Amino acid sequence: MPLPKDLKRTVVIENVAPTVAGGRYPIKRVVGDVVEVTADVFKEGHEVLVAFVRYRRADETAWREAEMRPLDNDRWTGRFVPDANARWVFTVEALPDPFQSWLVDLRKRQAAGQDLASELLEGAALVRAAAGRAAGADAAALRVIAARLAEAPSDAGLFHDPVLGDLMRWGLDRAEATWCEYLFEVVVDRERARFAAWYEFFPRSARGDGRHATFRDAEAMLERAAAMGFDTVYLPPIHPIGRAHRKGRNNALTARPGDPGSPWAIGAAEGGHTAVHPELGTLADFDRFVARAGTLGLEVALDFAIQCSPDHPWVREHPEWFFHRPNGTIKYAENPPKKYQDVYPLNFVGDDPGPLWEEMKRVVEFWIGHGVRAFRVDNPHTKPVRFWEWLIREVQAKHPDAIFLAEAFTRPAMMRALAKAGFTQSYTYFTWRNGQNELIDYFSEITRPPVSEYFRGNLWPNTPDILHATLVQGGPPAFRARLVLAATLSSLYGIYSGYELCENVPREPGSEEYLDSEKYEIKRRDWSAPGNLTEWITRVNAVRRAHPALQRHDNLVFPVCDDPNVLWYGKWTPARDDCVFVAVNLDPFGRHATMADVPLWELGLAHDAAYEMHDELSGTTWQWRGPRGYVELDPHSRPAQIFHLRR
Amino acid sequence: MPLPKDLKRTVVIENVAPTVAGGRYPIKRVVGDVVEVTADVFKEGHEVLVAFVRYRRADETAWREAEMRPLDNDRWTGRFVPDANARWVFTVEALPDPFQSWLVDLRKRQAAGQDLASELLEGAALVRAAAGRAAGADAAALRVIAARLAEAPSDAGLFHDPVLGDLMRWGLDRAEATWCEYLFEVVVDRERARFAAWYEFFPRSARGDGRHATFRDAEAMLERAAAMGFDTVYLPPIHPIGRAHRKGRNNALTARPGDPGSPWAIGAAEGGHTAVHPELGTLADFDRFVARAGTLGLEVALDFAIQCSPDHPWVREHPEWFFHRPNGTIKYAENPPKKYQDVYPLNFVGDDPGPLWEEMKRVVEFWIGHGVRAFRVDNPHTKPVRFWEWLIREVQAKHPDAIFLAEAFTRPAMMRALAKAGFTQSYTYFTWRNGQNELIDYFSEITRPPVSEYFRGNLWPNTPDILHATLVQGGPPAFRARLVLAATLSSLYGIYSGYELCENVPREPGSEEYLDSEKYEIKRRDWSAPGNLTEWITRVNAVRRAHPALQRHDNLVFPVCDDPNVLWYGKWTPARDDCVFVAVNLDPFGRHATMADVPLWELGLAHDAAYEMHDELSGTTWQWRGPRGYVELDPHSRPAQIFHLRR
């Protein structure tokens, strides 16, 4: 075996953090975040080392750098702030500092009264070499010092001049520095990738009177969503809906005349994934809808569901993209023994899947061309993880502001893999985590490293597919409590419209399907119906916007609280200048009072500190002192409290 | 960006274990070990997967494989046994099994009473394709079944024939399987790399009468070492010793006439690293010494110290390998203000270090040519870690039986890095860990993953450089206790001769240097002096050989014991057919009695089981019942007990 290259680059740089799977996948941050980089940095012998975080945008070539400092046991730390929405890379560079190393030894030799003549000649040579490398004023200054050293070759004191120290540090020869063997990626998203409130609605129901609405009608829904404080509206598929095997109301095998069908049966004679359902309007209407959303501070998220109705143009144009029976016909979706005759899945492992991959990219870029920057991806776990890794990287290379939300409720390893592969946000098991212990366990897992480095949970108390028993049984108190949990356990959450009306009738007892599901029909709704939660939701969204502590997904802490019916948690900013504590009554049927801990030490408060706990929901302020406080919750009058801790 | 390759290889294979730093460094095993491989294995959709550990010797091309089985949550496990002393590689291969996936769905369709005509045609096509791929008897059998299926195309029952299942499993088309992105290395050492007892002695002192001994004289020491049960004798450097600036007794700056000098001042007119010190004999005498060791079941380990006396031939032949002063003279070693005028360090970061690297390899291979397979490397942390990674890999490529022991007592990160880089064994902080808590903490760290995957601690209660205060103050009881600790906390340990005589006079109070250190003079010793530990050492080594549980470095458990003066630990084989518990009195001045836990559940014993605890040192047997027992230790009569748990 030949000798390796660069034999003189001998610094060991290891255990770099934060990374995902040793650097195989990027970590995720948002613009303006501080990226704290740590690494083991050491080399043979006893020289003084210097180390730098080297970082740059992946699409640029010029490196920037930040100096690292040693912590202990050869662990070093440095930080940088990515200032643009882009993919970034970083690594660590380190090298010995010959002048500093020499100076440290010189001091020891001086202290021991040794003869320094030869050492001082070495020091002078280092200064001359630095003068030769330097430019401008530094070079001039070094030449002056070098001349002075030549005049007084035995004056060791000249070397302790701090100006010389600075000049030598700035002029360090980095040519033979060691770089870490790996480049680590950081996907730096825009702020809304981490802090957002989504509101899902079917635009076709926007009239509320049972007649098919248009995008124009749906502008009223934008105003409602904005007024409630949401910032993202997410629309189920807006494309032409197939007619063949169209499902009827309540998922009936055959549609009756006038049944609108499921929007997830995408494609008809009027077009496929890049067309708009004619009854909603035209592409121009959609553009207008997006523009109107923009003026309200909302962005529009589309559903990206890679599947086709039998009427989709691709079925005719690209039959090779589908699965075929021995008789040559195309297979519909099945999960035996269940059959979904209105939907054809696409075949990602056919003989030549490349054109299909490229077409999927074209679809996403088409909608980006129409002002869409957020995609809720339907069932990503039924397509190859590698496909998503490629697609998202490709799209974000040109459109770094694109956000992808993975709708995967499948197995934990797959959910993590999709997030590692690039999904900006992920659905979670939140919907099925209702008890104190299971909430603490699950959120401890997904809000801490390593998972929090790549996984951002977007919490949904309901979706058109999931009406959980907690809401069915618990009614309005449960709706209020689960909303607060979703909105404060993560910085990302969403609700599906109807939640504000506490809609909770299942198709049959024990079912998680809604009765008269909106997936198969147009809903009538009275948004001002008595008992609606509009005001509660509006207040919670306002609290989220007022508190930076609630705008991160990775700062959740569960202090002790005595009552298993109460979830008690805190979030604060890194500077601890915004501290929020939340108490939620998990029992929709009973009042609960409990003592709850406040980790004063972690907040920089004295053990016996007095402070105010201001409930942002009720407006009430309590005076607390010391590390425990009393919390009382009532499912009807006070199902939750969001305390702002005021020093 | 172009599409990636192999779009159809969509299985995700992640979190493979055991690995070191995600595969950057090899794990270590010995021949015959079971390597248990686990990995997350999953893909999109719901197909039935199969997975295999693929493994081979790194120097061969043919893969072998072992089938993996799913544990839970997409975690799979498989195992293989490397059967040769070599570097190996392994990875994981996985793919969907189309026939099994189809069969699972078929059963569900059958149960639901669905029309199966089209499905059965698909199944028959899978069988025909398998028949086409298969060879010999399998092909014939598959053709017969395919013909039967063609005759009875609607007989679903034919597909449930287990013979068909086996044939389809064996004939699975692996062409489009997914392989893990990484190859993981395993350094598979010979048994002695993990289980060995080293005995260090200066051959020049072998006569014991103060006169310089030869290798022939030293054969008596081989017999002593073998009789005590050691299997490796380690010799400080055996090369010509420099005359310039030779150190005198007790490290005096100037040697008196007749002072032999330090063996670590390597090189003189008679030669350097590939020569033998003339007073020890010739290279032929060394060969005879190695052969004699072999007949006694001993192997000879040499010291590999990369440094030179001023008289070393390299100084003349390769002045460019050394550090120079401004006046052109060569620098001696310094750790300012300390000076080591008798030693020149070598410069691994000079302008062209390649030839120096190659020469170091030549030196090691020279001694391998003379029957040496084990090297104790002096101060490896003062040479580049990359150099060791290259050297050890290069040497082991040709000589996989070569063992390298790193003498680094430096910072933890460097000690770990050297082990990761390839050192077979490592010195440890054992010498400075004497209290119960610090022993438990340190050994919990180095005997468990990840550290135990690459780091094997070789424990030394003394060395020519280190006489710890515990031995100085504790005397013979401490010598007995520390010997048992070294010999049983790890499977690798060693002593420096004189330990058996409880030599413990420091150069001055508080010093860790021996008075009249053997490094600078020839010692007189009476091996049969009263109070010697020869019998104790012999017994401990015999116990180690009798108990497979004591022959591993990674199976150490610390059950609870009440007295902080007692260290209580257990080791057992994976099959739990050999279980050993050790109690050591850490207090050389007092008797201690304590209750000590036995984790019966982990040993497969009932909570109230009765069992014998046979002390292998005293020969006494106690009857214990249940999960706690009583242990009594006396520093003089019973400083330690090594219990064999007999069911």
Side-chain angles (χ1 to χ4, degrees):
Chain A
M1 199 171 80
L3 286 168
K5 287 186 186 165
D6 295 330
L7 302 187
K8 295 165 77 174
R9 303 185 198 271
T10 63
V11 184
V12 179
I13 301 169
E14 287 192 331
N15 295 323
V16 177
T19 60
V20 178
R24 169 65 182 80
Y25 304 100
I27 62 166
K28 295 194 176 90
R29 293 292 186 273
V30 302
V31 176
D33 271 354
V34 175
V35 181
E36 287 273 359
V37 177
T38 54
D40 292 338
V41 178
F42 54 94
K43 76 183 279 289
E44 76 280 3
H46 301 97
E47 285 164 291
V48 175
L49 294 186
V50 290
F52 305 87
V53 180
R54 300 299 300 253
Y55 62 101
R56 60 174 170 80
R57 290 176 54 147
D59 57 356
E60 295 180 347
T61 53
W63 288 100
R64 308 181 212 179
E65 70 178 30
E67 197 160 349
M68 301 182 81
R69 63 184 173 82
L71 296 168
D72 66 350
N73 264 337
D74 297 317
R75 193 86 186 147
W76 291 61
T77 184
R79 47 165 62 193
F80 69 97
V81 178
D83 56 12
N85 175 202
R87 192 170 286 246
W88 291 65
V89 292
F90 73 88
T91 190
V92 171
E93 177 192 355
L95 68 162
D97 182 332
F99 184 73
Q100 286 302 323
S101 304
W102 172 87
L103 208 54
V104 165
D105 282 355
L106 184 75
R107 288 202 186 93
K108 293 178 188 166
R109 295 180 210 273
Q110 278 187 288
Q114 296 180 352
D115 174 27
L116 303 174
S118 181
E119 311 306 324
L120 296 179
L121 289 175
E122 281 191 36
L126 290 170
V127 174
R128 281 198 307 277
R133 285 192 306 273
D138 287 1
L142 283 164
R143 277 197 301 270
V144 168
I145 296 175
R148 208 177 300 152
L149 293 171
E151 283 164 24
S154 60
D155 184 354
L158 292 174
F159 287 99
H160 300 302
D161 178 356
V163 173
L164 175 60
D166 285 346
L167 288 166
M168 293 300 285
R169 193 152 46 79
W170 301 333
L172 184 62
D173 182 5
R174 308 269 283 272
E176 283 173 344
T178 307
W179 286 57
C180 174
E181 295 171 22
Y182 308 99
L183 272 192
F184 303 97
E185 291 187 317
V186 190
V187 169
V188 178
D189 290 308
R190 57 194 170 104
E191 173 71 14
R192 196 155 286 177
R194 186 173 64 190
F195 172 56
W198 290 43
Y199 183 71
E200 173 178 6
F201 69 93
F202 287 67
R204 69 187 184 189
S205 295
R207 292 177 59 95
D209 60 2
R211 284 194 293 157
H212 201 295
T214 65
F215 280 125
R216 295 225 174 189
D217 299 323
E219 289 181 20
M221 290 294 281
L222 294 178
E223 283 150 27
R224 283 192 59 251
M228 283 190 282
F230 291 98
D231 48 54
T232 304
V233 292
Y234 148 51
L235 312 181
I238 59 170
H239 315 301
I241 295 171
R243 287 173 186 83
H245 300 285
R246 177 178 285 188
K247 292 289 172 76
R249 292 168 176 246
N250 284 308
N251 204 16
L253 258 185
T254 36
R256 291 175 308 179
D259 281 353
S262 161
W264 281 276
I266 296 171
E270 297 85 353
H273 280 72
T274 53
V276 169
H277 187 57
E279 290 184 76
L280 288 172
T282 64
L283 201 47
D285 292 329
F286 175 73
D287 292 342
R288 192 186 122 130
F289 177 82
V290 171
R292 176 68 184 135
T295 63
L296 291 165
L298 291 168
E299 69 178 283
V300 175
L302 285 190
D303 196 291
F304 183 43
I306 303 181
Q307 57 192 28
C308 298
S309 96
D311 305 320
H312 196 291
W314 289 338
V315 175
R316 205 172 52 247
E317 295 162 10
H318 293 286
E320 75 278 12
W321 289 355
F322 298 87
F323 295 95
H324 296 262
R325 293 194 191 83
N327 69 4
T329 58
I330 292 179
K331 292 184 172 184
Y332 46 77
E334 288 186 85
N335 186 6
K338 284 192 257 176
K339 303 181 177 197
Y340 307 92
Q341 292 93 336
D342 60 336
V343 167
Y344 287 177
L346 283 136
N347 181 0
F348 278 82
V349 290
D351 284 336
D352 181 17
L356 173 59
W357 287 35
E358 295 284 5
E359 176 70 1
M360 295 304 107
K361 182 181 155 194
R362 196 188 67 80
V363 168
V364 171
E365 290 184 337
F366 176 88
W367 291 108
I368 288 177
H370 286 273
V372 175
R373 286 294 182 281
F375 298 88
R376 177 271 197 191
V377 177
D378 191 72
N379 277 338
H381 55 286
T382 59
K383 290 89 194 171
V385 175
R386 297 184 60 195
F387 162 70
W388 296 117
E389 188 171 14
W390 170 82
L391 179 80
I392 295 172
R393 180 182 281 262
E394 280 284 286
V395 169
Q396 289 185 337
K398 272 199 244 168
H399 309 285
D401 53 349
I403 286 172
F404 294 86
L405 165 60
E407 185 246 10
F409 297 110
T410 183
R411 298 176 296 185
M414 175 56 94
M415 289 172 68
R416 288 193 300 261
L418 290 166
K420 284 188 269 193
F423 277 93
T424 320
Q425 308 171 1
S426 307
Y427 279 58
T428 69
Y429 297 136
F430 166 70
T431 317
W432 298 275
R433 298 291 180 275
N434 289 277
Q436 189 199 56
N437 278 341
E438 60 191 16
L439 282 163
I440 292 175
D441 286 354
Y442 184 56
F443 281 91
S444 296
E445 179 194 326
I446 68 172
T447 65
R448 294 179 193 171
V451 180
S452 61
E453 298 292 0
Y454 61 85
F455 186 98
R456 301 184 186 115
N458 191 330
L459 314 186
W460 291 74
N462 76 328
T463 78
D465 290 309
I466 311 162
L467 168 64
H468 192 269
T470 294
L471 301 178
V472 174
Q473 293 155 14
F479 276 78
R480 286 177 190 264
R482 294 291 294 173
L483 185 100
V484 170
L485 289 171
T488 58
L489 281 168
S490 177
S491 45
L492 296 164
Y493 91 110
I495 58 169
Y496 153 56
S497 65
Y499 192 91
E500 60 268 55
L501 300 180
C502 301
E503 291 177 355
N504 70 344
V505 184
R507 200 163 135 197
E508 63 212 12
S511 167
E512 288 190 351
E513 284 274 336
Y514 281 93
L515 179 67
D516 302 329
S517 166
E518 193 166 6
K519 289 190 286 182
Y520 311 105
E521 63 188 76
I522 293 164
K523 300 294 284 185
R524 296 167 191 268
R525 288 193 179 101
D526 173 8
W527 298 115
S528 57
N532 76 70
L533 303 185
T534 305
E535 198 188 319
W536 181 258
I537 294 167
T538 306
R539 210 175 316 154
V540 169
N541 281 333
V543 174
R544 282 168 46 92
R545 291 197 184 204
H547 286 285
L550 297 175
Q551 297 168 16
R552 301 178 62 101
H553 72 295
D554 58 355
N555 59 341
L556 183 62
V557 169
F558 291 102
V560 170
C561 121
D562 296 337
D563 190 314
N565 296 289
V566 175
L567 194 69
W568 173 246
Y569 49 101
K571 300 185 91 168
W572 47 90
T573 52
R576 302 181 296 200
D577 51 358
D578 184 39
C579 303
V580 172
F581 286 83
V582 182
V584 179
N585 186 354
L586 302 175
D587 173 10
F589 307 109
R591 301 178 73 240
H592 293 280
T594 183
M595 295 303 290
D597 279 12
V598 177
L600 295 173
W601 187 83
E602 290 179 51
L603 301 175
L605 289 168
H607 184 73
D608 58 352
Y611 49 95
E612 287 185 352
M613 291 290 260
H614 175 75
D615 177 12
E616 296 278 19
L617 294 176
S618 66
T620 316
T621 302
W622 281 268
Q623 306 297 327
W624 286 25
R625 179 184 287 275
R628 309 204 82 190
Y630 176 78
V631 171
E632 202 179 306
L633 299 165
D634 177 276
H636 298 283
S637 63
R638 192 196 288 154
Q641 293 182 290
I642 305 179
F643 294 108
H644 177 207
L645 184 152
R646 296 174 175 166
R647 286 151 202 269
Chain B
M1 199 172 78
L3 287 167
K5 287 187 184 165
D6 295 330
L7 302 187
K8 296 165 75 172
R9 304 185 197 270
T10 64
V11 184
V12 180
I13 302 170
E14 288 193 330
N15 295 325
V16 177
T19 61
V20 177
R24 168 65 181 82
Y25 303 100
I27 62 165
K28 295 194 175 91
R29 291 293 187 273
V30 302
V31 177
D33 271 352
V34 175
V35 181
E36 288 273 358
V37 177
T38 54
D40 292 339
V41 178
F42 54 96
K43 76 183 277 288
E44 77 279 3
H46 301 97
E47 286 164 290
V48 174
L49 294 186
V50 289
F52 305 88
V53 180
R54 300 299 300 252
Y55 63 100
R56 59 173 170 82
R57 289 175 55 146
D59 56 355
E60 295 180 347
T61 52
W63 288 101
R64 310 181 211 181
E65 69 178 32
E67 198 160 348
M68 301 182 81
R69 63 185 174 80
L71 296 168
D72 67 349
N73 265 336
D74 297 316
R75 193 85 186 148
W76 290 61
T77 182
R79 47 164 63 192
F80 69 98
V81 178
D83 56 11
N85 174 201
R87 193 171 284 248
W88 292 66
V89 293
F90 74 88
T91 191
V92 171
E93 177 192 355
L95 68 162
D97 181 332
F99 184 74
Q100 286 302 322
S101 304
W102 172 87
L103 207 55
V104 166
D105 282 355
L106 184 76
R107 288 203 185 92
K108 294 178 186 163
R109 296 180 207 274
Q110 278 187 288
Q114 296 180 351
D115 173 28
L116 303 175
S118 179
E119 311 306 325
L120 295 178
L121 289 175
E122 281 190 37
L126 289 170
V127 174
R128 280 198 309 278
R133 285 193 304 272
D138 287 1
L142 283 164
R143 278 198 299 271
V144 168
I145 297 175
R148 208 178 300 154
L149 293 171
E151 284 164 24
S154 60
D155 185 353
L158 291 173
F159 287 98
H160 301 301
D161 178 357
V163 173
L164 176 59
D166 286 345
L167 288 167
M168 292 301 286
R169 193 152 46 79
W170 302 332
L172 182 63
D173 183 3
R174 307 268 284 272
E176 283 172 343
T178 307
W179 286 57
C180 174
E181 295 172 22
Y182 307 99
L183 272 192
F184 303 96
E185 290 187 316
V186 190
V187 169
V188 177
D189 290 307
R190 57 194 169 105
E191 174 70 15
R192 196 154 287 177
R194 186 173 63 191
F195 172 54
W198 290 42
Y199 184 71
E200 174 179 5
F201 70 92
F202 287 67
R204 70 187 183 187
S205 296
R207 293 175 59 96
D209 61 2
R211 282 194 294 157
H212 200 296
T214 65
F215 279 124
R216 296 222 171 189
D217 299 324
E219 289 181 20
M221 289 295 282
L222 295 177
E223 282 151 28
R224 283 192 60 251
M228 282 189 283
F230 291 99
D231 49 52
T232 305
V233 292
Y234 148 50
L235 311 181
I238 59 169
H239 316 301
I241 295 171
R243 286 173 188 84
H245 300 286
R246 176 178 285 187
K247 292 288 173 76
R249 290 167 177 244
N250 283 310
N251 205 17
L253 258 184
T254 35
R256 291 175 308 179
D259 280 354
S262 162
W264 281 277
I266 296 170
E270 297 86 352
H273 280 72
T274 53
V276 169
H277 187 57
E279 291 184 77
L280 288 171
T282 64
L283 200 48
D285 291 329
F286 176 72
D287 292 342
R288 191 186 121 132
F289 177 84
V290 171
R292 176 67 186 138
T295 63
L296 291 165
L298 291 169
E299 68 177 283
V300 175
L302 286 191
D303 195 292
F304 184 41
I306 303 181
Q307 57 192 28
C308 296
S309 95
D311 306 320
H312 196 291
W314 289 339
V315 176
R316 205 171 54 246
E317 297 162 8
H318 293 286
E320 74 278 12
W321 289 354
F322 297 89
F323 294 95
H324 295 262
R325 293 194 191 84
N327 69 3
T329 58
I330 294 179
K331 292 184 174 187
Y332 48 77
E334 287 186 85
N335 187 5
K338 284 192 258 177
K339 304 182 177 198
Y340 306 92
Q341 293 93 336
D342 60 334
V343 168
Y344 287 177
L346 283 136
N347 181 0
F348 278 81
V349 290
D351 284 336
D352 180 18
L356 174 59
W357 286 34
E358 296 282 6
E359 176 69 2
M360 294 304 109
K361 181 179 155 196
R362 195 187 68 81
V363 168
V364 171
E365 291 185 336
F366 176 87
W367 292 109
I368 288 177
H370 286 272
V372 175
R373 286 294 182 280
F375 297 89
R376 178 270 197 192
V377 177
D378 192 71
N379 277 337
H381 55 285
T382 58
K383 290 90 196 172
V385 175
R386 297 183 62 194
F387 163 70
W388 296 117
E389 188 171 16
W390 171 83
L391 180 80
I392 296 171
R393 180 181 281 262
E394 279 285 287
V395 170
Q396 289 185 337
K398 272 199 241 167
H399 309 285
D401 53 350
I403 286 172
F404 294 86
L405 164 61
E407 185 246 9
F409 298 111
T410 183
R411 298 177 296 186
M414 176 56 94
M415 288 172 70
R416 289 192 299 261
L418 289 166
K420 284 189 268 195
F423 276 93
T424 319
Q425 307 173 0
S426 307
Y427 279 59
T428 69
Y429 298 135
F430 166 69
T431 317
W432 299 275
R433 298 292 179 273
N434 288 277
Q436 189 199 56
N437 279 340
E438 60 190 17
L439 282 162
I440 292 175
D441 286 353
Y442 185 56
F443 282 91
S444 296
E445 178 193 326
I446 67 171
T447 64
R448 294 178 194 170
V451 181
S452 62
E453 298 292 1
Y454 61 85
F455 186 99
R456 300 183 185 117
N458 191 328
L459 313 187
W460 292 74
N462 75 327
T463 78
D465 290 308
I466 310 163
L467 169 64
H468 192 270
T470 295
L471 300 178
V472 174
Q473 292 154 14
F479 276 78
R480 284 176 191 265
R482 295 290 295 174
L483 185 100
V484 170
L485 290 172
T488 58
L489 280 169
S490 177
S491 45
L492 295 165
Y493 91 109
I495 58 168
Y496 153 56
S497 64
Y499 192 90
E500 60 268 54
L501 300 180
C502 301
E503 291 176 355
N504 70 343
V505 183
R507 201 165 133 196
E508 63 213 11
S511 166
E512 288 191 350
E513 283 276 336
Y514 282 93
L515 180 66
D516 301 330
S517 166
E518 194 167 5
K519 290 190 287 182
Y520 310 106
E521 64 188 76
I522 292 164
K523 300 295 284 184
R524 294 166 192 268
R525 287 191 179 101
D526 173 8
W527 297 115
S528 58
N532 75 71
L533 303 185
T534 305
E535 199 188 318
W536 181 259
I537 294 167
T538 306
R539 211 176 313 155
V540 169
N541 280 333
V543 175
R544 282 167 47 92
R545 292 197 184 205
H547 285 285
L550 296 176
Q551 296 167 17
R552 300 178 62 100
H553 73 294
D554 57 355
N555 59 340
L556 184 62
V557 170
F558 291 102
V560 170
C561 120
D562 296 338
D563 190 314
N565 295 289
V566 175
L567 194 70
W568 172 246
Y569 49 100
K571 302 186 88 168
W572 48 89
T573 52
R576 302 182 294 200
D577 52 358
D578 184 41
C579 303
V580 171
F581 285 83
V582 183
V584 179
N585 186 355
L586 302 176
D587 173 11
F589 307 108
R591 300 178 73 239
H592 292 281
T594 183
M595 295 303 290
D597 279 14
V598 176
L600 295 173
W601 187 85
E602 290 179 51
L603 300 175
L605 289 168
H607 184 73
D608 59 351
Y611 49 95
E612 288 185 351
M613 291 290 260
H614 175 75
D615 176 12
E616 296 278 19
L617 294 176
S618 66
T620 317
T621 302
W622 281 269
Q623 306 297 328
W624 286 25
R625 179 185 286 276
R628 306 204 84 189
Y630 176 77
V631 172
E632 201 179 308
L633 299 166
D634 176 278
H636 297 284
S637 63
R638 194 195 286 154
Q641 294 182 291
I642 305 178
F643 296 108
H644 177 208
L645 184 152
R646 295 173 176 167
R647 284 152 203 269

